[in-house]
Amino acid sequence: MDLLLDIKDLVVHYETEDSDVHAVNGIDIAIGKKRTLGLVGETGAGKTTTALSIMNLVPDPPGVIKSGTIKLEGKNVLEMSERELEEMRGNDVAMIFQDPMTALNPVMTVGEQIAESLELHQNLTPEQSLEKAKDMLKLVGIAEARANDYPHQFSGGMKQRVVIAIALACSPKLLIADEPTTALDVTIQAQVLELMKDLINNRDMSMLMITHSLGIVAEVCDDMAVMYAGRIVEKGTVDDVFNNMRHPYTEGLFNSLPNLKEQGEMLEPIKGLMPDPADLPPGCTFAPRCPYATEACSASVPELHSVDGSKTHFVACHAYSRPGFALRRNQK
């Protein structure tokens, strides 16, 4: 696979006087050109910290990128100069934040906010930038006449469309979407997702979709990685993970969803809570909540290894390595 983004052994901590929060703990992620990767996990798993690391925007202090490499087309983002980072952000890599209500500047028109990045990165005049900003608004389904309106004059769904227009204005190579539909109602969510799918399919672009919704992953993504307590516990193509899941946490995520084919069955929530990232348990961090855990699971951290010799599907689980082991969901 021709890689656009390649993250190796990324470790990010938030260090304060009171605690050392282990937000990201040695993850490997790769995104191919014209591929969409879904990064899935509960709140607090480290998904947003991973996204901020890609743009070298982890707030310092208290955030510290302890180790690892983040290569965008072979160039390590963590070794870029401030000028190189400014040229990269918004131009090569753009981000859609999860709350459109706070992502826009309330005292600038939406046209000015889209035009700003065009002036910075494409050396256009203010007039040329505003004309292209109007074209971007049309692209996301908003009348170009509304370029002179302010954010408070738009609904939540329209604001998210404006944020998408800003992110796509310079035709980035990588689009990071951090739970872009969380603040929207269900019908608007569907419209925004359909819009993003169309835009990605029609452009030479890759996407990192950060979400806790498996439905969004199924609809939008080619590949997926499941994150728990700062580690990747399973990754593969969407087909790999949906049809041949191998990690107990992945099983728990699927069991907590309603099944329309088996109505009347009780949902099975994952017992317990995600551990405090400032006080992670030894060994596998999912072991305290895992129905398959043994003493060995608390002895050492499981490494990612291939599932049945697959070149795309990997799991980090001691239980998977036991002879005859199978998830209950896969036995149905």
Side-chain angles (χ1 to χ4, degrees):
M1 182 167 61
D2 195 5
L3 295 183
L4 176 70
L5 180 75
D6 190 16
I7 300 175
K8 296 283 189 189
D9 195 31
L10 180 66
V11 177
V12 186
H13 292 182
Y14 291 100
E15 299 175 349
T16 67
E17 291 181 4
D18 300 323
S19 62
D20 186 357
V21 175
H22 294 213
V24 177
N25 302 303
I27 65 168
D28 293 355
I29 291 176
I31 303 178
K33 292 183 178 178
K34 299 198 76 171
R35 302 281 291 183
T36 296
L37 172 74
L39 186 59
V40 184
E42 292 171 81
T43 299
K47 306 186 299 295
T48 297
T49 296
T50 300
L52 292 174
S53 299
I54 293 169
M55 302 182 78
N56 208 346
L57 284 174
V58 173
D60 179 17
V64 180
I65 297 177
K66 306 286 283 188
S67 66
T69 59
I70 301 172
K71 291 188 176 179
L72 183 70
E73 292 191 314
K75 188 163 187 182
N76 191 355
V77 172
L78 303 180
E79 294 176 351
M80 288 182 179
S81 66
E82 197 56 43
R83 180 166 183 174
E84 287 175 313
L85 288 170
E86 287 174 1
E87 290 175 357
M88 178 267 285
R89 295 171 187 147
N91 193 31
D92 294 327
V93 183
M95 189 163 176
I96 301 171
F97 295 93
Q98 58 182 288
D99 186 1
M101 315 301 173
T102 58
L104 296 170
N105 188 330
V107 297
M108 290 175 67
T109 67
V110 297
E112 288 171 339
Q113 293 186 59
I114 301 169
E116 187 175 36
S117 62
L118 292 165
E119 283 186 59
L120 283 171
H121 294 299
Q122 298 194 352
N123 298 319
L124 301 179
T125 65
E127 294 76 18
Q128 290 171 326
S129 298
L130 193 55
E131 282 305 307
K132 190 163 182 184
K134 291 177 181 178
D135 291 338
M136 292 305 302
L137 284 175
K138 281 197 294 185
L139 187 68
V140 297
I142 298 175
E144 61 181 69
R146 301 211 61 186
N148 297 320
D149 289 347
Y150 290 87
H152 73 270
Q153 295 173 277
F154 291 81
S155 66
M158 296 283 266
K159 284 179 185 173
Q160 192 62 294
R161 287 170 181 263
V162 172
V163 171
I164 292 170
I166 293 171
L168 295 178
C170 295
S171 298
K173 297 168 184 173
L174 175 65
L175 179 66
I176 302 171
D178 187 1
E179 303 199 20
T181 60
T182 299
L184 309 176
D185 64 58
V186 176
T187 52
I188 302 301
Q189 281 186 21
Q191 291 175 16
V192 168
L193 284 175
E194 196 60 37
L195 169 67
M196 291 180 70
K197 275 171 57 181
D198 290 344
L199 292 171
I200 290 291
N201 289 338
N202 294 329
R203 288 166 175 251
D204 188 12
M205 186 186 304
S206 302
M207 179 165 69
L208 174 63
M209 171 65 78
I210 296 173
T211 182
H212 54 255
S213 169
L214 293 167
I216 289 176
V217 171
E219 186 174 345
V220 176
C221 301
D222 305 301
D223 308 295
M224 67 183 289
V226 181
M227 196 168 188
Y228 183 81
R231 291 193 176 98
I232 302 299
V233 296
E234 186 167 7
K235 64 181 180 179
T237 66
V238 169
D239 184 61
D240 284 337
V241 180
F242 271 63
N243 297 321
N244 190 28
M245 70 189 68
R246 283 293 179 263
H247 199 280
Y249 179 60
T250 312
E251 178 187 48
L253 292 178
F254 277 85
N255 284 344
S256 63
L257 296 174
N259 189 336
L260 296 179
K261 294 179 181 177
E262 299 175 11
Q263 295 184 34
E265 282 200 1
M266 296 291 288
L267 297 182
E268 297 178 41
I270 302 171
K271 294 178 181 178
L273 299 171
M274 188 160 4
D276 180 353
D279 186 25
L280 293 174
C284 175
T285 50
F286 186 62
R289 305 173 71 185
C290 180
Y292 308 98
T294 65
E295 288 184 12
C297 296
S298 299
S300 63
V301 177
E303 299 291 327
L304 278 168
H305 53 268
S306 172
V307 173
D308 302 331
S310 171
K311 292 183 179 179
T312 57
H313 192 188
F314 299 85
V315 66
C317 178
H318 289 310
Y320 169 74
S321 303
R322 296 201 296 263
F325 171 77
L327 298 176
R328 285 191 285 272
R329 189 179 182 92
N330 290 342
Q331 295 173 329
K332 291 181 180 179

